Amino acid sequence: MKQKDKLCVPDLSDLSMSFCSPPVIVRTILLMGQRGGHQESKKLEISPSETMKAEDYKEDRGPKSEDWRPPSVFGVADLKNRAVGLYNIGQTCCLNSLLQVFFMNIHFTKILRRISVPVYGTQKRNNVPYQMLLLLEKMQCGKQKAVSPRELAICLLGHRVEMFVQCDAAQLFLTLWNLLKKQIRNPELVGKLSDLYTISVQEHLACQICSSETTRNSSMLTLPVPLLDSESYMLKTLEECLQCFFHPEELTGHNMCFCEHCGKKTPFQQSVKLVHLPQTLTIHLKRFCFGRSAYIHKINNRLPFPQDLDFSAVLTEQQYQAYDNEKAAWQYELFAVVAHSGSTSCGHYCAYIRSLTECKWYSFNDSIVEQVSWDDVRSTYGHSDLNWGQTAYLLFYMKKHPQ
């Protein structure tokens, strides 16, 4: 009988986030939904996390080829017919699902196997990229059908990441990415990691009286798209959710901002324009929202998502700020789905991932890994009558023709 893990609201206190009021453009992590059907702030700031001191690492300052790798370590995604599970060691289904998504991404494992190795034992135990590399090697070298992520989980505990408790996949994904970026010492690899996952947007805040405008470039790790529109009606497709996310928002009434040019609070229009999409695009479906009584509930309603996604066909000219050659490369293919089953108080995570070497879909449910069909992946679309069934929560798309 599978242990049912509880799902919690993201605890943002350890992520050093700053919440600002208008007229400053807000850059926050999205809570998992809308309050009263309306969108909350749309932006996400990639936040700092703890890092090791430079002297704790043994840097390889000589040139490294792209094919360099530690002995015997190449990566789960490079192997055919060799999918390995991860044991649930106490409410770690969320961590296990995200790790499998990382490890099945050939572009990520190519970065991971080039990291510099810390010198001392203590630093090795506290280094997240290194512990992920060791786990990857353990998955690849052993003959077991599943291995334990215990050492990595203990390493994450040392960085104040709550383990063995209820988790939210979107928050944990951000936390893991921040730790990876901060603890990889090679600037070239940090740049490659950012190119692989980071979304670039341009934020706009315009006064509706004097037309003065504030513009700022920003980065996001995920696109947190709503499932409800501004009138609290269910959106019917992923494309509609994306259009809703990039649709300008009117700030009126209690949401008016102070305009320095007008010298008073005035109505503003807030919008986000897409500038650049990464090789691996992560979309966060905001299935968790606040009801009128401030009680968080889950939206199980059906939301189809396509295998192929062309952003240039989804967005209007007013919703992007990009060159034509950038826009021409906005064609994606679905790579992975992290699905949640259950409710806000009790649930479980698993991952559906398409092997980049075999082009076959696999289900990663903790220690159980098995090949599945596209119809099995489509079962995560959701349904309003679901009590326990799986619904997609994070979607990972891979660029078809990387530049």
Tab-separated table of all heavy atoms in Angstrom, residues 17 25 80 83 103 134 138 209 274 277 326 331-332 340 347-348 354 364 382:
chain	number	residue	atom	x	y	z
A	17	MET	N	12.749	35.784	-0.158
A	17	MET	CA	11.955	36.503	-1.136
A	17	MET	C	11.520	37.855	-0.576
A	17	MET	O	11.341	38.017	0.616
A	17	MET	CB	10.697	35.690	-1.494
A	17	MET	CG	11.001	34.272	-1.949
A	17	MET	SD	12.148	34.229	-3.319
A	17	MET	CE	11.224	35.159	-4.521
A	25	ILE	N	7.119	46.873	-9.292
A	25	ILE	CA	6.639	45.639	-9.895
A	25	ILE	C	7.014	44.481	-8.999
A	25	ILE	O	8.153	44.315	-8.616
A	25	ILE	CB	7.248	45.454	-11.297
A	25	ILE	CG1	6.783	46.598	-12.206
A	25	ILE	CG2	6.854	44.115	-11.894
A	25	ILE	CD1	7.366	46.552	-13.578
A	80	LYS	N	19.826	2.872	-22.273
A	80	LYS	CA	18.618	2.285	-22.841
A	80	LYS	C	18.186	1.109	-21.975
A	80	LYS	O	18.996	0.301	-21.548
A	80	LYS	CB	18.868	1.834	-24.278
A	80	LYS	CG	19.084	2.991	-25.255
A	80	LYS	CD	19.188	2.482	-26.675
A	80	LYS	CE	19.343	3.654	-27.663
A	80	LYS	NZ	19.416	3.185	-29.060
A	83	ALA	N	16.052	1.996	-16.622
A	83	ALA	CA	15.412	2.958	-15.731
A	83	ALA	C	15.437	2.423	-14.307
A	83	ALA	O	15.087	1.273	-14.067
A	83	ALA	CB	13.978	3.225	-16.177
A	103	PHE	N	17.439	13.742	-13.811
A	103	PHE	CA	18.367	12.718	-14.277
A	103	PHE	C	18.033	12.207	-15.681
A	103	PHE	O	18.922	11.755	-16.402
A	103	PHE	CB	18.390	11.539	-13.304
A	103	PHE	CG	19.034	11.854	-11.975
A	103	PHE	CD1	18.762	11.086	-10.853
A	103	PHE	CD2	19.911	12.919	-11.839
A	103	PHE	CE1	19.357	11.367	-9.631
A	103	PHE	CE2	20.501	13.223	-10.624
A	103	PHE	CZ	20.227	12.436	-9.512
A	134	LEU	N	26.650	11.542	-7.039
A	134	LEU	CA	26.857	10.239	-6.404
A	134	LEU	C	25.606	9.371	-6.520
A	134	LEU	O	25.695	8.160	-6.762
A	134	LEU	CB	27.230	10.424	-4.930
A	134	LEU	CG	28.605	11.014	-4.624
A	134	LEU	CD1	28.830	11.071	-3.121
A	134	LEU	CD2	29.722	10.220	-5.297
A	138	LYS	N	25.194	5.824	-8.378
A	138	LYS	CA	24.630	4.680	-7.665
A	138	LYS	C	23.484	4.061	-8.462
A	138	LYS	O	23.342	2.831	-8.531
A	138	LYS	CB	24.141	5.147	-6.291
A	138	LYS	CG	23.679	4.043	-5.354
A	138	LYS	CD	23.289	4.650	-4.007
A	138	LYS	CE	22.767	3.592	-3.043
A	138	LYS	NZ	22.349	4.200	-1.739
A	209	ILE	N	-3.285	57.221	-16.439
A	209	ILE	CA	-3.634	58.647	-16.523
A	209	ILE	C	-2.605	59.407	-17.346
A	209	ILE	O	-2.955	60.092	-18.308
A	209	ILE	CB	-3.739	59.271	-15.111
A	209	ILE	CG1	-4.796	58.521	-14.283
A	209	ILE	CG2	-4.080	60.755	-15.217
A	209	ILE	CD1	-6.186	58.559	-14.858
A	274	LEU	N	7.095	38.137	-22.936
A	274	LEU	CA	8.084	37.079	-23.044
A	274	LEU	C	9.250	37.533	-23.923
A	274	LEU	O	9.049	38.087	-25.005
A	274	LEU	CB	7.433	35.832	-23.635
A	274	LEU	CG	8.258	34.559	-23.671
A	274	LEU	CD1	8.693	34.136	-22.282
A	274	LEU	CD2	7.451	33.444	-24.333
A	277	LEU	N	12.932	31.982	-24.165
A	277	LEU	CA	12.552	30.699	-23.590
A	277	LEU	C	13.758	29.768	-23.572
A	277	LEU	O	14.539	29.741	-24.529
A	277	LEU	CB	11.421	30.059	-24.397
A	277	LEU	CG	10.042	30.698	-24.239
A	277	LEU	CD1	9.050	30.073	-25.203
A	277	LEU	CD2	9.539	30.563	-22.806
A	326	GLU	N	14.417	34.451	-32.472
A	326	GLU	CA	14.114	33.866	-31.159
A	326	GLU	C	12.721	33.252	-31.185
A	326	GLU	O	12.507	32.122	-30.739
A	326	GLU	CB	14.203	34.934	-30.081
A	326	GLU	CG	13.644	34.517	-28.724
A	326	GLU	CD	14.521	33.531	-27.981
A	326	GLU	OE1	15.735	33.514	-28.236
A	326	GLU	OE2	13.975	32.770	-27.156
A	331	GLN	N	9.341	26.278	-30.470
A	331	GLN	CA	8.595	25.053	-30.699
A	331	GLN	C	9.096	23.988	-29.735
A	331	GLN	O	10.287	23.690	-29.692
A	331	GLN	CB	8.751	24.586	-32.147
A	331	GLN	CG	8.171	25.574	-33.156
A	331	GLN	CD	8.249	25.055	-34.576
A	331	GLN	OE1	8.198	23.853	-34.797
A	331	GLN	NE2	8.390	25.966	-35.523
A	332	TYR	N	8.163	23.405	-28.971
A	332	TYR	CA	8.518	22.503	-27.878
A	332	TYR	C	7.780	21.181	-27.984
A	332	TYR	O	6.705	21.090	-28.600
A	332	TYR	CB	8.193	23.150	-26.523
A	332	TYR	CG	9.170	24.222	-26.115
A	332	TYR	CD1	9.063	25.518	-26.617
A	332	TYR	CD2	10.213	23.938	-25.242
A	332	TYR	CE1	9.973	26.499	-26.250
A	332	TYR	CE2	11.117	24.908	-24.871
A	332	TYR	CZ	10.992	26.180	-25.373
A	332	TYR	OH	11.901	27.152	-25.007
A	340	HIS	N	0.223	15.038	-9.327
A	340	HIS	CA	-0.151	14.942	-7.911
A	340	HIS	C	-1.494	14.261	-7.812
A	340	HIS	O	-2.426	14.566	-8.561
A	340	HIS	CB	-0.230	16.336	-7.286
A	340	HIS	CG	-0.718	16.325	-5.870
A	340	HIS	ND1	-2.038	16.547	-5.541
A	340	HIS	CD2	-0.066	16.108	-4.705
A	340	HIS	CE1	-2.176	16.480	-4.225
A	340	HIS	NE2	-0.999	16.206	-3.692
A	347	GLY	N	-1.664	13.513	-0.072
A	347	GLY	CA	-1.445	13.268	-1.488
A	347	GLY	C	-0.145	12.552	-1.779
A	347	GLY	O	0.605	12.180	-0.874
A	348	HIS	N	0.112	12.363	-3.073
A	348	HIS	CA	1.283	11.611	-3.515
A	348	HIS	C	1.721	12.144	-4.879
A	348	HIS	O	0.897	12.562	-5.694
A	348	HIS	CB	0.952	10.124	-3.604
A	348	HIS	CG	2.072	9.282	-4.115
A	348	HIS	ND1	3.207	9.025	-3.382
A	348	HIS	CD2	2.236	8.629	-5.301
A	348	HIS	CE1	4.018	8.253	-4.083
A	348	HIS	NE2	3.451	8.004	-5.253
A	354	ARG	N	9.488	11.093	-20.748
A	354	ARG	CA	9.788	10.517	-22.068
A	354	ARG	C	11.297	10.379	-22.218
A	354	ARG	O	12.031	11.349	-22.131
A	354	ARG	CB	9.221	11.409	-23.176
A	354	ARG	CG	9.454	10.881	-24.592
A	354	ARG	CD	8.743	11.762	-25.608
A	354	ARG	NE	9.198	13.138	-25.513
A	354	ARG	CZ	10.260	13.621	-26.162
A	354	ARG	NH1	10.983	12.836	-26.941
A	354	ARG	NH2	10.597	14.892	-26.030
A	364	PHE	N	7.518	6.914	-13.264
A	364	PHE	CA	8.432	6.807	-12.123
A	364	PHE	C	7.626	7.053	-10.862
A	364	PHE	O	7.339	8.197	-10.511
A	364	PHE	CB	9.575	7.817	-12.249
A	364	PHE	CG	10.517	7.544	-13.384
A	364	PHE	CD1	10.219	7.957	-14.677
A	364	PHE	CD2	11.716	6.879	-13.163
A	364	PHE	CE1	11.090	7.704	-15.727
A	364	PHE	CE2	12.589	6.620	-14.196
A	364	PHE	CZ	12.279	7.031	-15.489
A	382	GLY	N	-6.875	15.392	-15.652
A	382	GLY	CA	-7.747	15.731	-14.532
A	382	GLY	C	-9.221	15.610	-14.875
A	382	GLY	O	-9.607	15.453	-16.028
